[in-house]
Amino acid sequence: MIKSEERLLEVIKKDIDSKKKTHFAKLTKINKGANEFIFTLIEPKDKQESDEVESETLESSPKDSKESTQAFKPPFKPSEEVIIQERDNINSLKQDESFKGKIESYESGAKQITIKLNNKYDAIFAESKEKELKAKKWAISYDYQVKEILWTKQNSALEELKKGNTQVPNLLRKINESTELKENKQREIESYFNEDLDENQQEAVRKALSLERECEILLIQGPPGTGKTTTITEIVKRCGEDKLFRIGNNEEKMSEIAKQYTPEKVLNKILKENREHIKHNTITDSNPMIEFRLQELQQGFLEKLETLSSKMANADTTKTKGKRDNETFRLFTKDIRLFFGTLLGISSWKSFRDVVFDVAIVDEAGRATLSELLVPCIKAKRIILVGDYKQLAPVVDDDVVEKLNVDSKKGSDEFKADKKDVTTSLFERLFERIESSRDERVSL
């Protein structure tokens, strides 16, 4: 399985590098109501211009340089994220001189690309600017930066696994040989927070709380509607934590419930609770002088909290959003020990590099590749994987699958992996290996 994941990450990187090209285009139409630009691609007129395009590729891989001067090919596919810049500003680092969008369609015959902009650009859509915009030459590039960051996280996690830098001892061997996991003694639980848990759910909770050295991994398998989320909730409550953080880069992609637990929202709530507590609990002392001094300090602290709350409330512009007093933030949030987020998004947390988790609970584990799972799990002392491997498998980009299929047909001696290899999750592989032993997993 490790070799399959290595091969998958290798091909993903090649796919990213192959798209690090800049294509020139002319703006031919603006659909203001739909927030769309329609461009006509301009083929390189000669080798000099072709080389010019290549020289302006954003951090292109040297080994892909020959591919960039090959015959013109359709450069983008629907739903791909792109960056649009004026030709003369292509090397500029100023964000206001570029904007992003998503490919809506590509007409190969006319070489026309329709791009839906991510944001509304009122200045760009102004009537007085339309002719000016159409007269300019534009540069369109694949927006690969996010994918490359995610690839780096996954690749690093896989390398740490291979080096043995994991909280679970010998995790690599335990992944490859499930017999390395020993049977443990289950804890007895007298009562549950949720009295409606059925027998299987109670068993899953007992096994989750009984994980220990040499038996650090638990699989909870169950189809939709069997109460996996209810079981996870019970396990989390058993951890004894009532304060939590939702870690992630993009709040717009969070659920409404998750948004309530972003670090800024949690800090605001803590600040409010402390302000109310101070207002309703004035310090008293039998010594008037001491009482006066203590109340003076208390009032000064209250004013500090109100100032911080005011700053956070006013941080609603793009440039100031999310900024905070880091020292005060750490003071009020240092005791929070429960975190949730996506497998890769949680690593955006600044303290992630040095953190060690007592337990990592992964929901929908059957939809994750090995390297995605590893990002948080190599930092956990215990691992609970929850899911249903009979449902959706891990998602691998079509371009990556195509490259895997092409490579698998080559006659080289290197390890080959096909779509089935890279879309079979660790959850499924582990479950099948230990299916004969119910002591090591639970089915709901």
Side-chain angles (χ1 to χ4, degrees):
M1 181 171 191
I2 302 300
K3 286 188 176 293
S4 296
E5 195 69 18
E6 287 177 327
R7 185 65 184 139
L8 172 62
L9 290 175
E10 178 185 340
V11 175
I12 289 175
K13 187 63 168 68
K14 285 184 177 179
D15 181 61
I16 294 172
D17 288 341
S18 70
K19 295 176 179 178
K20 292 180 179 179
K21 305 170 185 176
T22 299
H23 297 271
F24 294 152
K26 181 180 180 181
L27 180 60
T28 53
K29 187 176 180 181
I30 299 176
N31 291 333
K32 300 176 184 177
N35 205 38
E36 293 177 342
F37 277 4
I38 299 177
F39 293 93
T40 299
L41 293 180
I42 303 172
E43 294 187 43
K45 296 179 180 179
D46 49 35
K47 187 177 183 306
Q48 180 180 355
E49 188 169 284
S50 180
D51 290 340
E52 186 181 5
V53 173
E54 175 61 21
S55 68
E56 288 159 348
T57 298
L58 302 178
E59 300 178 10
S60 62
S61 172
K63 61 185 177 184
D64 292 326
S65 59
K66 292 183 179 179
E67 296 180 11
S68 298
T69 55
Q70 291 177 350
F72 183 86
K73 296 179 181 179
F76 304 110
K77 293 185 177 181
S79 297
E80 286 188 336
E81 297 283 344
V82 293
I83 299 174
I84 308 166
Q85 290 177 290
E86 288 186 34
R87 168 66 180 82
D88 294 336
N89 293 331
I90 192 170
N91 293 317
S92 173
L93 297 179
K94 295 181 180 179
Q95 293 185 354
D96 57 358
E97 293 180 347
S98 66
F99 45 96
K100 298 183 179 183
K102 182 179 291 186
I103 301 295
E104 288 284 291
S105 63
Y106 174 71
E107 297 180 20
S108 57
K111 294 188 174 62
Q112 284 193 338
I113 294 180
T114 300
I115 301 176
K116 188 174 185 66
L117 304 181
N118 290 351
N119 301 300
K120 291 186 179 296
Y121 292 89
D122 296 333
I124 294 177
F125 287 143
E127 288 287 346
S128 59
K129 286 225 172 184
E130 186 165 338
K131 289 184 179 180
E132 179 184 339
L133 293 173
K134 290 181 178 180
K136 294 179 177 179
K137 183 182 287 188
W138 295 88
I140 305 174
S141 309
Y142 173 66
D143 188 8
Y144 63 85
Q145 291 182 341
V146 172
K147 286 194 174 183
E148 194 160 59
I149 290 171
L150 297 181
W151 178 89
T152 299
K153 292 178 180 181
Q154 292 174 246
N155 189 63
S156 297
L158 187 62
E159 290 301 315
E160 293 300 303
L161 173 71
K162 289 157 59 178
K163 294 175 184 176
N165 295 333
T166 61
Q167 290 300 314
V168 173
N170 303 312
L171 180 58
L172 176 58
R173 196 164 71 223
K174 289 169 181 175
I175 286 176
N176 285 329
E177 297 292 337
S178 57
T179 54
E180 291 288 331
L181 294 171
K182 309 299 181 183
E183 180 181 356
N184 63 339
K185 184 178 180 180
Q186 290 188 41
R187 289 175 50 181
E188 292 297 327
I189 299 177
E190 295 183 0
S191 62
Y192 296 86
F193 288 100
N194 186 342
E195 297 179 353
D196 295 326
L197 294 180
D198 62 29
E199 185 177 339
N200 283 332
Q201 290 171 322
Q202 291 180 12
E203 181 185 3
V205 174
R206 290 197 302 273
K207 289 193 171 186
L209 299 179
S210 303
L211 293 177
E212 57 188 22
R213 189 173 179 83
E214 302 306 326
C215 187
E216 306 97 338
I217 303 175
L218 174 68
L219 306 185
I220 301 178
Q221 157 71 24
T226 51
K228 296 190 295 296
T229 301
T230 301
T231 303
I232 293 173
T233 302
E234 182 73 24
I235 295 170
V236 171
K237 285 184 176 180
R238 287 279 163 180
C239 294
E241 298 293 340
D242 58 354
K243 293 181 180 178
L244 65 158
F245 270 167
R246 167 58 163 97
I247 306 297
N249 283 319
N250 192 342
E251 189 173 325
E252 294 179 358
K253 294 183 179 180
M254 298 181 189
S255 68
E256 290 304 313
I257 293 178
K259 289 178 181 178
Q260 298 175 26
Y261 297 98
T262 59
E264 284 72 24
K265 296 283 178 58
V266 172
L267 180 56
N268 266 328
K269 182 179 178 182
I270 294 174
L271 290 175
K272 182 178 179 180
E273 290 173 351
N274 278 270
R275 293 198 315 270
E276 293 300 315
H277 179 78
I278 292 173
K279 289 177 181 178
H280 295 92
N281 294 274
T282 303
I283 298 176
T284 59
D285 192 270
S286 57
N287 186 319
M289 293 294 293
I290 294 177
E291 180 178 270
F292 174 79
R293 181 56 180 155
L294 289 175
Q295 289 180 0
E296 190 177 48
L297 291 172
Q298 187 180 40
Q299 183 61 30
F301 186 59
L302 176 60
E303 291 174 0
K304 173 69 172 176
L305 295 181
E306 290 175 340
T307 300
L308 286 171
S309 297
S310 178
K311 284 182 178 179
M312 294 191 69
N314 292 328
D316 55 1
T317 65
T318 303
K319 293 183 179 180
T320 60
K321 187 176 182 180
K323 289 190 176 181
R324 55 179 178 247
D325 184 320
N326 288 328
E327 184 177 346
T328 306
F329 180 81
R330 286 192 294 269
L331 173 66
F332 283 101
T333 61
K334 64 180 181 180
D335 293 330
I336 296 179
R337 298 176 56 80
L338 184 60
F339 304 88
F340 70 105
T342 62
L343 289 171
L344 301 180
I346 198 169
S347 62
S348 64
W349 179 30
K350 289 184 178 180
S351 302
F352 185 79
R353 181 186 295 273
D354 302 316
V355 75
V356 173
F357 297 118
D358 291 320
V359 59
I361 305 174
V362 181
D363 196 12
E364 299 291 354
R367 299 183 62 182
T369 65
L370 172 61
S371 57
E372 289 172 338
L373 280 176
L374 288 175
V375 172
C377 287
I378 61 173
K379 294 179 169 292
K381 297 177 182 178
R382 292 166 289 162
I383 301 170
I384 301 173
L385 304 180
V386 185
D388 181 11
Y389 73 88
K390 296 178 182 179
Q391 297 296 313
L392 296 175
V395 177
V396 178
D397 189 271
D398 290 340
D399 289 344
V400 173
V401 172
E402 184 180 341
K403 284 181 170 60
L404 281 170
N405 292 336
V406 170
D407 289 349
S408 66
K409 296 177 183 178
K410 295 180 180 178
S412 63
D413 294 331
E414 65 179 4
F415 177 81
K416 298 179 176 63
D418 57 21
K419 182 177 181 179
K420 187 177 186 303
D421 291 324
V422 300
T423 58
T424 301
S425 66
L426 171 65
F427 185 87
E428 179 177 352
R429 291 177 191 269
L430 286 178
F431 190 90
E432 290 179 344
R433 288 175 186 170
I434 60 178
E435 193 169 14
S436 60
S437 175
R438 291 187 59 83
D439 292 320
E440 297 178 15
R441 50 93 171 168
V442 174
S443 287
L444 294 177

